[in-house]
Amino acid sequence: MRSIFTTFKGLFKDGKPLDLLATWKKTFDKASEKEVTLFQKMYCDEWFDWETPQMSLTADYVVGKYRIRFMATLLADESPTPLRRSDGFDVWSKEIPRVGHKFPMMARDYRKLMEIYENPRISEAEKVRSIEKTLKHDVQDAYLGCKDVMDFITLTALSGWGVCQFTPSINNPGGRKYEIDYMMSEDNKLVSAYTWTDANAKAGNIDPILQLAMICSELRNRGIVPGEILMSQDLYFWLRNNQQTRLLVHGQDKSAQTVTKSQLDTLLEENEIPKITVVTRKMAVDKDGKRNALTPWDKNFIAIKPEGKIGKIQPAIEDSELMEEENVDYMNAGNGIRIAKWRTGESTGQVAAEYTQGSARLIPLIEEIDQIICMQVRGYQEHTVADGATYTTKEKYGELAVG
């Protein structure tokens, strides 16, 4: 059955007849035309470009392999141009997964809306506000929940050596097992020789600022420009106020003083270290009818990425757009996300309710994966690294652990 919001007739807004669902369809259309972010901006909006939905369910894209650039050859006037080998890219293919969820509004909630709608003592404007608020809340949750998955994949991969896994019993209840591996280079998977702790800073085993400066210098030598460092809130505060940072900012005499944000920013800039972005993103999953919070960013890791965009998000056309059901109201919310609203009741053999569903086929494609460094700085057993190095690759550190 069609949405109950089609039954609210005779409402006026700004002196014009109001069609609630039609109004939202226009809102989504205008947002898509102007490329406006609806409701709230996420990391997937900041770091990716949204592509046009495609018919194919497979995402094929080129992953950049950033090496030192070839210099052109100095030629004689009649000499042929030499041919360079084209080894700068890898092709990455992956299934575009379907994401989706739905929210019920039971008959008791509909009764409350009807009480407002039919009450002659409530002004027209108040009726419209109350009914619009309910509609917006359901649509917003359905829409943003689909984009939440893009943030989850991105943040998990950037703080997990380029890999994100979905496991029904852990972070994907009611869903499927699924893995995305962005094929991060082994040279970009790092482990700090000593963990970033107060004990190691006090003992002089670790100088995080010097370590970050060394990594950034190495990246520049590889032709990569570091633009942004990502880390958790608690790791950021530790970096600001650990003993080594306080010594660098205040000197020995005043090392007991805390380090302000502006002082840390200045210290980073003086050491050619890019700005720090604190990742505080949280989301929730519905597990056994309970809301369980998830933190996609692993607090034991930091990441160094280029400034700005690192790839694109590729949508595929949703099945419901190809085969719409007659008694369902649909809205294209932009970026391949579809909102569907319908009613159930006795005719369908189900409990009377209004359902709002958000669904899409989406996958984030990290094209700049070889410009991104992921380093673990906490949460592991330390092993002695040869030559006094302050960090090494995950692969070599694993060999030390086995040895």
Side-chain angles (χ1 to χ4, degrees):
M1 291 184 287
R2 301 286 299 278
S3 167
I4 58 125
F5 286 92
T6 61
T7 65
F8 292 108
K9 304 293 185 182
L11 293 175
F12 286 81
K13 188 173 183 179
D14 300 325
K16 299 177 182 178
L18 177 63
D19 185 329
L20 292 157
L21 297 185
T23 299
W24 267 105
K25 288 178 183 178
K26 290 178 183 178
T27 299
F28 283 127
D29 288 342
K30 289 179 180 178
S32 297
E33 288 172 7
K34 298 179 180 178
E35 296 185 352
V36 174
T37 301
L38 277 172
F39 304 120
Q40 69 181 72
K41 190 173 184 179
M42 299 185 179
Y43 291 107
C44 61
D45 298 308
E46 184 177 355
W47 296 340
F48 295 88
D49 289 317
W50 288 79
E51 294 293 289
T52 302
Q54 65 180 36
M55 187 66 72
S56 170
L57 297 181
T58 302
D60 299 305
Y61 80 108
V62 175
V63 182
K65 293 287 184 182
Y66 287 83
R67 303 179 175 92
I68 295 177
R69 183 170 57 243
F70 285 121
M71 184 174 70
T73 302
L74 189 66
L75 303 171
D77 290 344
E78 297 179 358
S79 297
T81 304
L83 181 68
R84 304 296 193 213
R85 61 194 178 111
S86 180
D87 65 347
F89 303 97
D90 282 344
V91 176
W92 187 89
S93 297
K94 198 74 177 178
E95 169 199 359
I96 301 177
R98 185 170 188 264
V99 302
H101 54 171
K102 59 188 177 185
F103 301 88
M105 181 175 71
M106 309 310 290
R108 63 178 178 272
D109 299 312
Y110 179 53
R111 288 175 185 272
K112 295 177 183 177
L113 286 183
M114 287 301 296
E115 287 177 3
I116 295 171
Y117 175 62
E118 295 177 349
N119 192 333
R121 294 182 176 83
I122 299 177
S123 69
E124 190 76 12
E126 185 60 36
K127 290 180 183 181
V128 169
R129 278 195 296 270
S130 296
I131 297 172
E132 275 189 323
K133 182 179 179 181
T134 301
L135 174 59
K136 178 185 177 181
H137 181 269
D138 290 344
V139 169
Q140 178 175 299
D141 283 355
Y143 171 78
L144 291 180
C146 293
K147 291 180 68 176
D148 281 339
V149 182
M150 299 302 98
D151 267 16
F152 183 87
I153 293 172
T154 302
L155 296 175
T156 302
L158 292 184
S159 64
W161 289 315
V163 178
C164 175
Q165 295 178 330
F166 287 89
T167 306
S169 61
I170 300 173
N171 59 11
N172 197 32
R176 57 182 286 201
K177 192 171 184 179
Y178 185 78
E179 179 181 284
I180 303 172
D181 187 344
Y182 289 104
M183 301 187 301
M184 180 178 281
S185 168
E186 291 300 322
D187 290 337
N188 290 22
K189 303 175 183 177
L190 304 181
V191 179
S192 177
Y194 291 94
T195 55
W196 286 18
T197 60
D198 289 333
N200 278 328
K202 187 175 182 179
N205 293 331
I206 184 71
D207 184 338
I209 300 299
L210 176 60
Q211 190 176 57
L212 290 173
M214 290 172 64
I215 295 172
C216 291
S217 177
E218 181 186 326
L219 286 175
R220 293 186 181 97
N221 286 336
R222 288 163 55 182
I224 298 171
V225 180
E228 187 177 6
I229 298 177
L230 312 176
M231 65 178 63
S232 66
Q233 183 80 68
D234 59 337
L235 200 57
Y236 171 73
F237 277 112
W238 179 86
L239 179 65
R240 267 179 52 184
N241 292 302
N242 78 84
Q243 183 166 323
Q244 290 293 344
T245 304
R246 285 188 278 113
L247 280 171
L248 287 171
V249 173
H250 299 302
Q252 186 68 49
D253 294 342
K254 298 180 181 180
S255 62
Q257 295 182 12
T258 58
V259 176
T260 66
K261 180 181 182 301
S262 60
Q263 288 171 333
L264 179 62
D265 290 344
T266 300
L267 181 64
L268 295 175
E269 185 178 359
E270 289 174 346
N271 285 274
E272 298 184 279
I273 300 169
K275 66 178 182 178
I276 292 175
T277 296
V278 177
V279 180
T280 57
R281 189 79 163 87
K282 284 192 175 183
M283 50 203 65
V285 294
D286 185 348
K287 190 173 182 181
D288 300 326
K290 297 180 180 179
R291 187 183 301 270
N292 290 313
L294 289 179
T295 304
W297 188 265
D298 190 326
K299 65 181 181 180
N300 293 319
F301 285 77
I302 67 168
I304 305 175
K305 62 177 282 292
E307 189 174 7
K309 308 283 186 179
I310 57 173
K312 62 188 180 184
I313 293 178
Q314 181 60 65
I317 294 173
E318 247 287 64
D319 296 350
S320 65
E321 190 167 357
L322 300 173
M323 304 170 64
E324 290 190 352
E325 291 189 43
E326 185 176 348
N327 291 318
V328 178
D329 286 291
Y330 295 99
M331 288 178 271
N332 278 329
N335 300 323
I337 301 174
R338 292 269 282 179
I339 304 296
K341 292 185 73 64
W342 70 92
R343 278 180 289 169
T344 59
E346 292 181 353
S347 63
T348 60
Q350 296 170 286
V351 174
E354 162 90 358
Y355 285 90
T356 304
Q357 175 179 282
S359 62
R361 291 185 180 273
L362 303 166
I363 190 168
L365 308 176
I366 303 178
E367 296 170 315
E368 311 294 352
I369 194 66
D370 254 41
Q371 290 195 83
I372 297 171
I373 294 292
C374 179
M375 182 167 77
Q376 186 169 9
V377 297
R378 286 181 177 176
Y380 57 92
Q381 183 67 43
E382 294 176 355
H383 301 282
T384 302
V385 177
D387 304 323
T390 65
Y391 61 90
T392 187
T393 64
K394 169 179 175 282
E395 190 175 39
K396 291 180 180 178
Y397 207 83
E399 293 172 358
L400 292 173
V402 172

